[in-house]
Amino acid sequence: MAFSSTAAVAASTAAGALASGRRSAACRASSLSSSFLNASFPRVAAAPAPAQRVAAVTVRAQAVAAGKKSVLIVNTNGGGHAVIGFYFAKELLAAGHAVTVLTVGEEGSDKMKKPPFSRFSELTSAGAKTVWGDPADVGAAVGGATFDVVLDNNGKDLDAVKPVADWAKAAGVGQFLFVSSAGIYTPTDEPPHVEGDAVKESAGHVGVEKYIAGEFGNWASFRPQYMIGSGNNKDCEEWFFDRIVRKRPVPIPGSGMQVTNIAHVRDLASMLALAVESPGAAAGKIFNCVCDRAVTFNGLVKMCAAAAGVDAEIVHYDPAAVGVDAKKAFPFRNMHFYAEPRTAKEALGWTSTTKLPEDLKERFAEYASSGRGQKEMSFDLDDKILSAVGVPVSIAA
Amino acid sequence: MAATASLKSSLLLPCPLSDFSGAALSISSQTRRRSWRPRGARIQVSAAADSKNILVMGGTRFIGIFLSRLLVKEGHKVTLFTRGKAPITQQLPGESDAEYAEFSSKVLHLKGDRQDFDFVKTSLAAKGFDVVYDINGREAVEVAPILDALPNLEQYIYCSSAGVYLKSDLLPHFETDAVDPKSRHKGKLETESLLESRDVNWTSIRPVYIYGPLNYNPVEEWFFHRLKAARPIPVPGAGNQITQLGHVKDLATAFGLVLGNPKASKQVFNISGAKYVTFDGLARACAKAGGFPEPEIVHYNPKDFDFGKKKAFPFRDQHFFASIEKATKELGCTPEYGLVDGLTDSYNLDFGRGTFRKEADFTTDDMILGKKLVSV
């Protein structure tokens, strides 16, 4: 998806969306203050020409009047979910919605030097407002602005989310969305995890889901697994590329038959956006926020190798026998961890676009051009595993 | 119509899981029947507007037993084409005398060998069927004479197999996935291709592993034998291979749902259970179904053994599962049976009554367990 960065293109996108008769089930009049509208101009060094400035404001007002939403994304400042808010914001902006991203913490912190935060200009140039603050006081952070939709893509438990939820309810937010986790499902003999399956009652995310279900008429929870995509704050495929480009064997715990779900983050964003576009269909629902294919660990190595255009050697090992903690030695849970996005497909008509072999090629292209493959890296745990198993560190040419 | 009325009333009653007789039909099948319209120029003179003259190739062994009952109950005229080696009908465990009498008095038999293509062509042409359910076809050559004999055929419904899918690291299999022209099931693929190439309204159903009472394939039976003998269950590899079982009655229901259904025209559907299961999980599910204690599972590396011609485990040693979302979405087809419920149904109506198809054979088990005892 090409994300435009000019007001003119944003205008034509919004006009196109209006012309295509995009439905909005809940067509609330926006209560955006004019100060908010002014603040959502692209923050560019050179101010846009006066005619463009007027056009942007007019488009926004038109978009809002036509059933476009004002959306607040409360975004984590690190970790595997940070990138979800980034792509979601872009998806909403492209559809003509008004977006504010409230990132936890301070704009000047070191965390903001990492992606996706380092790329926030892509959001602001498309019309998003980016602010920083404490989720315990959202009202102060957003300067009293009000919203139709709030997504909490930050909290993992009620301590973190309750203040956001309580503020949203008091502020009359129409739809409250929460990024939860598919990790809360209890292990099963019968994969996949589907919405409605038992969850670990003590999990923080479960407490949040129960709370928002009680507080909001229109709420939805999204349970992701792993994701790939440019701008990710956390390594995923890089762990495999690091070894493959250095011709190191790839240590895989167990049989390598364990399956997991790795989605391109654009799938997560499109599911969230669809929930915003169809709030009635999404209301009161839990969505596994994943793509619709499982991949085995062995298969993932093969796909990463193919993306890199080289062969890879897999070395299987038993973490207990070797004496390593699989959680530290391998980036994914050492077990079947596999949810399917059945509710999104059935209730929202959502479709997955993740195609791992192709997506990993794109990921590798970025990896290769980043220079990370040439950096000095230590592989202490790998070395420990390989020597325990009796495998040489480098693959014979 | 009496049969339709009794079916509707049975749908209103709570359905005990051990009731095989079709009362577990999903509500959506009733909906489909209401919306069905007669097709083509053929004038229906039978009592029910939607009664079809149906030929079932096979029908006396497993799937066909349940499917034929379902079709007769829906008011269709059903003929089974078999060599007559097995009884055309048999009363099923749990089936009342009255129900069995109703079915056996109505179902018809056409005796013949489907490998005798000339006979197939002439006998079918003489009778003129509306719909063919091909439950036991394996090769495309078997299907051509049927199509030649019935130029006005309204629908050819074929029992294919998810075994046609090309093995993949990305799962589940969807109907659009690549197929393997070299698989053991290539005859099924070639049949699908033939159907596609001929000007016939076809539907192909791809089941995964089928289970349920009267299964002639020792799937659940394999586990039940070991559980009953209080033996450990030897499972190859890590036991985390994921497979999928579908109850035969749910499969019969699905076959019923595609009949006369425009959404099924020239379409392939995966049909199986809503969830998948690991090998180890299946051993545990069978134990639950039969009221056995949690089994001891012994893992082994199949490469360490030469079992000769004997099969040491009833499933292919790989992940193998398919998505049923197309059938759910297009046909309104959702399985009635969860895995433990379905295995319980199978146990209560079959193995638990002392019946099974294959005698227990623990030869390969003893090879595995013997080696396990020896090695430290």
Side-chain angles (χ1 to χ4, degrees):
Chain A
M1 187 188 294
F3 294 104
S4 80
S5 58
T6 63
V9 178
S12 64
T13 308
L18 293 171
S20 68
R22 199 184 282 248
R23 261 189 9 235
S24 184
C27 226
R28 278 187 60 204
S30 170
S31 48
L32 288 173
S33 65
S34 59
S35 62
F36 174 82
L37 279 171
N38 290 337
S40 58
F41 274 146
R43 284 188 205 155
V44 292
Q52 273 184 307
R53 283 170 67 98
V54 172
V57 176
T58 310
V59 162
R60 176 107 319 112
Q62 277 176 352
V64 160
K68 292 306 172 184
K69 311 278 177 74
S70 57
V71 184
L72 171 66
I73 302 170
V74 178
N75 214 64
T76 175
N77 56 25
H81 289 188
V83 68
I84 302 175
F86 184 60
Y87 276 72
F88 180 45
K90 289 193 167 192
E91 182 102 10
L92 292 169
L93 292 164
H97 299 290
V99 177
T100 297
V101 179
L102 162 54
T103 304
V104 174
E106 304 193 0
E107 188 175 0
S109 76
D110 279 346
K111 290 188 173 196
M112 295 301 109
K113 293 179 178 151
K114 288 182 69 180
F117 315 105
S118 52
R119 291 169 55 178
F120 267 12
S121 58
E122 295 171 36
L123 298 181
T124 52
S125 62
K129 181 173 177 178
T130 53
V131 296
W132 279 259
D134 186 348
D137 193 353
V138 175
V142 300
T146 55
F147 301 91
D148 300 312
V149 183
V150 170
L151 169 70
D152 186 310
N153 181 37
N154 172 60
K156 297 181 185 181
D157 55 36
L158 207 45
D159 282 347
V161 181
K162 189 174 187 296
V164 179
D166 290 346
W167 164 84
K169 180 156 179 183
V173 167
Q175 183 183 35
F176 193 89
L177 307 175
F178 175 57
V179 174
S180 177
S181 167
I184 61 177
Y185 285 111
T186 54
T188 177
D189 279 344
E190 295 184 46
H193 297 302
V194 302
E195 299 89 346
D197 282 357
V199 292
K200 299 168 204 164
E201 292 298 317
S202 60
H205 300 96
V206 173
V208 175
E209 289 179 349
K210 288 188 165 140
Y211 185 72
I212 64 176
E215 291 295 299
F216 292 93
N218 192 320
W219 66 275
S221 182
F222 296 82
R223 298 174 176 170
Q225 286 195 236
Y226 304 110
M227 67 211 77
I228 61 173
S230 181
N232 201 350
N233 192 266
K234 185 175 173 182
D235 279 357
C236 182
E237 68 281 15
E238 293 86 347
W239 187 91
F240 297 86
F241 292 151
D242 284 342
R243 285 146 182 82
I244 289 169
V245 301
R246 289 170 179 77
K247 299 195 178 351
R248 293 188 56 101
V250 183
I252 299 290
S255 62
M257 291 278 282
Q258 303 88 312
V259 297
T260 189
N261 189 315
I262 298 174
H264 194 287
V265 62
R266 65 172 182 264
D267 267 357
L268 283 72
S270 69
M271 193 187 292
L272 287 162
L274 209 40
V276 170
E277 299 276 329
S278 310
K285 294 201 170 71
I286 300 214
F287 297 96
N288 287 337
C289 204
V290 295
C291 72
D292 63 4
R293 299 273 200 177
V295 63
T296 62
F297 291 173
N298 292 337
L300 186 57
V301 175
K302 286 190 250 167
M303 284 175 210
C304 286
V310 297
D311 289 328
E313 184 191 347
I314 295 173
V315 171
H316 294 120
Y317 67 97
D318 176 356
V322 167
V324 294
D325 182 354
K327 286 196 196 77
K328 298 201 168 86
F330 192 67
F332 306 122
R333 291 171 185 226
N334 183 18
M335 57 193 291
H336 287 318
F337 179 31
Y338 169 37
E340 279 187 1
R342 294 189 185 182
T343 302
K345 286 190 175 185
E346 286 161 28
L348 302 177
W350 174 84
T351 51
S352 171
T353 64
T354 298
K355 302 255 182 291
L356 264 190
E358 285 75 19
D359 289 327
L360 285 169
K361 287 198 176 84
E362 180 232 312
R363 298 308 309 128
F364 184 74
E366 186 170 329
Y367 178 93
S369 67
S370 73
R372 176 167 165 162
Q374 284 73 51
K375 273 170 65 175
E376 276 292 318
M377 287 180 77
S378 68
F379 295 89
D380 295 339
L381 280 175
D382 283 41
D383 290 339
K384 182 174 178 182
I385 293 163
L386 295 171
S387 77
V389 173
V391 170
V393 165
S394 59
I395 304 171
Chain B
M1 157 139 202
T4 313
S6 71
L7 178 61
K8 281 185 180 155
S9 64
S10 67
L11 279 169
L12 293 172
L13 295 169
C15 304
L17 286 174
S18 60
D19 184 350
F20 71 88
S21 60
L25 283 175
S26 64
I27 300 301
S28 50
S29 75
Q30 193 179 30
T31 307
R32 177 199 61 76
R33 225 176 29 258
R34 277 203 296 271
S35 62
W36 185 85
R37 296 285 177 270
R39 292 160 60 95
R42 194 183 155 87
I43 294 159
Q44 298 292 346
V45 294
S46 45
D50 54 359
S51 167
K52 294 289 169 190
N53 185 3
I54 298 177
L55 176 70
V56 179
M57 302 303 292
T60 57
R61 204 142 76 121
F62 187 34
I63 304 168
I65 291 175
F66 298 96
L67 175 60
S68 57
R69 275 169 172 72
L70 184 158
L71 294 171
V72 165
K73 266 206 160 148
E74 290 201 344
H76 302 291
K77 180 176 162 194
V78 178
T79 302
L80 308 181
F81 185 110
T82 78
R83 289 171 300 171
K85 292 198 167 188
I88 309 313
T89 66
Q90 45 170 324
Q91 187 164 4
L92 301 184
E95 185 175 35
S96 73
D97 291 350
E99 279 175 325
Y100 178 59
E102 172 83 9
F103 169 69
S104 54
S105 67
K106 289 195 168 141
V107 77
L108 305 165
H109 183 229
L110 174 52
K111 184 172 173 175
D113 186 344
R114 75 172 296 173
Q115 302 300 335
D116 183 347
F117 302 146
D118 288 332
F119 174 78
V120 167
K121 197 164 167 187
T122 48
S123 61
L124 266 51
K127 297 219 177 243
F129 297 97
D130 301 325
V131 173
V132 171
Y133 275 95
D134 187 351
I135 301 304
N136 63 8
R138 288 182 192 278
E139 303 293 338
V141 285
E142 300 163 14
V143 174
I146 300 173
L147 298 176
D148 293 340
L150 302 167
N152 295 319
L153 190 63
E154 292 175 20
Q155 191 175 13
Y156 195 102
I157 302 170
Y158 181 57
C159 187
S160 180
S161 168
V164 301
Y165 289 113
L166 183 66
K167 200 168 158 186
S168 174
D169 292 317
L170 284 169
L171 290 159
H173 291 301
F174 290 96
E175 289 83 351
T176 44
D177 282 3
V179 291
D180 183 0
K182 291 185 275 189
S183 83
R184 202 162 50 85
H185 300 275
K186 64 181 175 37
K188 302 276 192 185
L189 258 188
E190 286 158 13
T191 303
E192 289 182 350
S193 299
L194 175 73
L195 291 167
E196 175 78 57
S197 69
R198 298 280 296 254
D199 187 24
V200 66
N201 174 29
W202 62 271
T203 302
S204 184
I205 301 287
R206 292 176 181 168
V208 187
Y209 287 104
I210 310 167
Y211 74 108
L214 304 181
N215 198 352
Y216 59 78
N217 196 3
V219 170
E220 65 268 54
E221 179 184 289
W222 187 91
F223 291 91
F224 289 149
H225 273 310
R226 281 143 186 84
L227 290 162
K228 183 168 178 196
R231 279 180 150 263
I233 315 264
V235 175
N240 64 354
Q241 301 88 315
I242 302 173
T243 189
Q244 183 181 19
L245 275 63
H247 199 286
V248 66
K249 290 176 207 172
D250 285 329
L251 181 56
T253 302
F255 271 113
L257 282 176
V258 302
L259 178 63
N261 190 336
K263 291 200 162 177
S265 175
K266 308 195 178 190
Q267 296 294 328
V268 174
F269 295 97
N270 297 331
I271 299 291
S272 193
K275 288 253 204 159
Y276 323 125
V277 63
T278 61
F279 287 175
D280 285 356
L282 182 54
R284 288 189 276 269
C286 287
K288 279 191 198 128
F292 297 105
E294 178 135 350
E296 184 197 343
I297 295 172
V298 171
H299 294 126
Y300 65 95
N301 183 351
K303 294 190 180 131
D304 292 344
F305 300 90
D306 178 5
F307 298 122
K309 282 195 157 72
K310 287 187 187 279
K311 236 172 135 177
F313 192 71
F315 296 90
R316 27 165 92 57
D317 188 5
Q318 60 179 75
H319 291 317
F320 180 45
F321 52 99
S323 170
I324 62 167
E325 69 177 41
K326 182 180 173 183
T328 304
K329 187 176 171 193
E330 300 295 320
L331 308 174
C333 181
T334 49
E336 287 280 331
Y337 288 100
L339 182 63
V340 173
D341 287 340
L343 289 167
T344 304
D345 178 71
S346 177
Y347 186 82
N348 288 346
L349 293 177
D350 195 0
F351 194 93
R353 295 181 181 216
T355 53
F356 48 81
R357 311 293 96 61
K358 255 189 101 177
E359 286 289 341
D361 179 354
F362 302 127
T363 315
T364 55
D365 298 52
D366 289 337
M367 287 169 68
I368 293 159
L369 296 169
K371 187 159 179 166
K372 285 281 165 187
L373 284 169
V374 167
S375 62
V376 173

